[in-house]
Amino acid sequence: MVFKKVLTKLRKGGGELVGYSVSVICIVQIIALIIGFVQFGNVKMRVNNAVMVAGRDIAVCTSRAEAEETAYNTVYNLLRESKLIDMDTLNVTVEFYNDEDSRWQKGNYVVVKVEVWNKNTPLALLNGAFHTQELVMIERVTEE
Amino acid sequence: MIKKLRKGNGILIFGVAWMLVIFFLVIMFIEVFFARQNAMNTQIAADSIANGVAVYMTYEGNSYTDAVRERDYVKSLVNLYTFHDPTDTRISDASLDYHSLIEDNVVDIKVTGDFSYMTNLNTSYGENGNTGYYTVHTGAMTEYTNYGRDLIHTAEAYLGCLYDYGSSGETNHQPSFYKLIYTYADHEYYGYGDSIPDCRADIDTEEYYEAWLENVGIEYRTEYALNHAEEGLSPDELNQARDNYIDNIRSDVEYSTDDNSRMFDCSGFVSYIYSTVSGVSGRVDTEMIGDSSNNDYRVGVTHVLPGDIILVNGGDHAVLFVEWEGNRFRCIGVSGGDESTYANDNGSVRVSESDLSSVPCVKYSYYNIGDVVACYHYSAPEELFQ
């Protein structure tokens, strides 16, 4: 009985209601897209900034192990307050740019790479792992 | 048209317009997203290049050309490993001028990224009317040590100069004339044996030198002629050989009065080298180098640069840092002497390279990190005497 009434109302011009409902869904999706990009952009900026700070920190480390530990701690402290990053997936590596010369000595270059999992964005497309990396020249002189 | 609108099509038009607004709004946010990412990528590239060049200039770079070469190298690495591709990088040549860098200690760099895929935003970020690019202007602190290398090169010119407690280059070591004769003549013939008099003996005077030329020298010439008469030399050749022989002795005596005969103690050597490079006269002793008022110039052992002053042996000995050799400091300084040391006790002339290890003189020395009490880095050599 109720269903018939609804059908009757729709036939009498309730299409506007349906159209509006569909439009609302589309608009919500678009807003979600915008919010998703804003959130992802902020996360990316945070990670990029963390990589830059970590790069400056490890430049004065005295060994690769110390550099990885320092980089991890720096990045962790800078990102831990973000609710959009899954900190359990945080992976920080420091690798020599040249495998043939992997000595920790002044003048050699290393690449610090931060990989995290972006989560909870309204846009599922942007959820997932992404990484940022920076090239850093070693400023300390020797591996003790 | 108006009638149709009145019949309800206006809603359609309004809806389309509204959707277009939302569409462009989305596009705008997406562009802003990419703009921020591109800007940050350019910033990271600038950071890598500026810091790489700054560090490079502290230990190897000697000129603006070197900085540009390193910049291009780092740029290629940035492109290879982080996939950022700056379209243009420029280093300010003014900031890498030797003197201005002493004042500024900055590698001034501009890195430009290409925003070609979002031309409608370019004008907001273009520099000097150039659209399509985003430019990051950044600087990195550097301890560019051109003067440090000058210090080392200057110090190396005095390798082998002898130790004299309290001297800072103002004292010339006068080599013993006996030693010279001993060196050039047959000492057994003249009976000098192994007994070489102290170089400060009164006999080591200019008057004695002239007397030797007049007496012993003539005697020696005669003896030389007799010993070489059988070699078949003509009288002229024989005279020439004798004169050359005597001239060699004379030149060594004259040699003793040049820079290579200067004498130093450890802090005197440091003072002399800094004074020579800066053109500012001054003298500091080891206690003054380690004085608490110099804490502004104190740096950690891992930040020491060529030409920096290092205090070792409990703070009683000052040397100049040259370079790292493994975990050891390679230094140059005057070592091996003490308060009782005056030059080399046997009165020799400037010691040879092979003698450097055993003679109290200017030489290379090696220290471990544990030996170091303090390191001092002056941004300009004249600051040592302030």
Side-chain angles (χ1 to χ4, degrees), chain A residues 135, chain B residues 74-86:
Chain A
L135 186 75
Chain B
V74 183
K75 181 183 170 185
S76 68
L77 291 180
V78 166
N79 188 13
L80 184 61
Y81 289 95
T82 67
F83 311 112
H84 307 154
D85 187 18

Side-chain angles (χ1 to χ4, degrees), chain B residues 214-243:
Chain B
E214 291 299 322
N215 300 307
V216 182
I218 292 172
E219 181 185 349
Y220 180 71
R221 290 183 197 194
T222 305
E223 202 60 38
Y224 185 93
L226 289 174
N227 288 343
H228 293 78
E230 297 177 356
E231 294 180 2
L233 298 176
S234 68
D236 287 344
E237 290 173 334
L238 194 57
N239 288 332
Q240 185 62 47
R242 286 186 313 227
D243 291 341

Side-chain angles (χ1 to χ4, degrees), chain A residues 44 56 97 109 133 135, chain B residues 37 47-48 70 73-74 81:
Chain A
K44 197 80 165 53
R56 286 170 179 160
Y97 84 95
Y109 285 94
Q133 51 193 8
L135 186 75
Chain B
Q37 298 310 310
D47 213 44
S48 294
E70 183 68 8
Y73 176 61
V74 183
Y81 289 95

Side-chain angles (χ1 to χ4, degrees), chain A residues 30 33-34 40-42 44-45 48 52 56 97 106-107 109 133-135 137 139-142 144, chain B residues 22 26 29 33 36-37 40 47-48 52 55 59 70 73-74 77 81-82 302-303 305 324 327 369:
Chain A
I30 289 170
L33 181 70
I34 293 171
F40 183 66
N42 284 335
K44 197 80 165 53
M45 291 289 281
N48 283 350
M52 286 178 58
R56 286 170 179 160
Y97 84 95
K106 195 170 193 172
Y109 285 94
Q133 51 193 8
E134 183 183 17
L135 186 75
M137 180 185 261
E139 296 183 19
R140 287 291 169 91
V141 286
T142 182
E144 295 172 327
Chain B
I22 293 176
V26 171
F29 272 99
F33 168 78
R36 292 177 71 189
Q37 298 310 310
M40 183 52 92
D47 213 44
S48 294
V55 176
Y59 79 102
E70 183 68 8
Y73 176 61
V74 183
L77 291 180
Y81 289 95
T82 67
T302 51
H303 286 90
L305 296 169
W324 286 91
N327 286 337
I369 290 179

Side-chain angles (χ1 to χ4, degrees), chain B residues 301 304 310 321 323-324 328-331 365-367 369 372:
Chain B
V301 290
V304 66
I310 298 178
F321 174 73
E323 61 183 355
W324 286 91
R328 295 192 306 169
F329 293 83
R330 183 169 184 249
C331 302
S365 50
Y366 298 86
Y367 298 96
I369 290 179
V372 176

Side-chain angles (χ1 to χ4, degrees), chain A residues 40 43 84-86 116-121 126-130:
Chain A
F40 183 66
V43 169
L84 300 176
I85 297 174
D86 184 359
V116 291
W117 188 276
N118 183 41
K119 65 177 184 179
N120 290 337
T121 59
L126 297 177
N127 284 337
F130 70 95

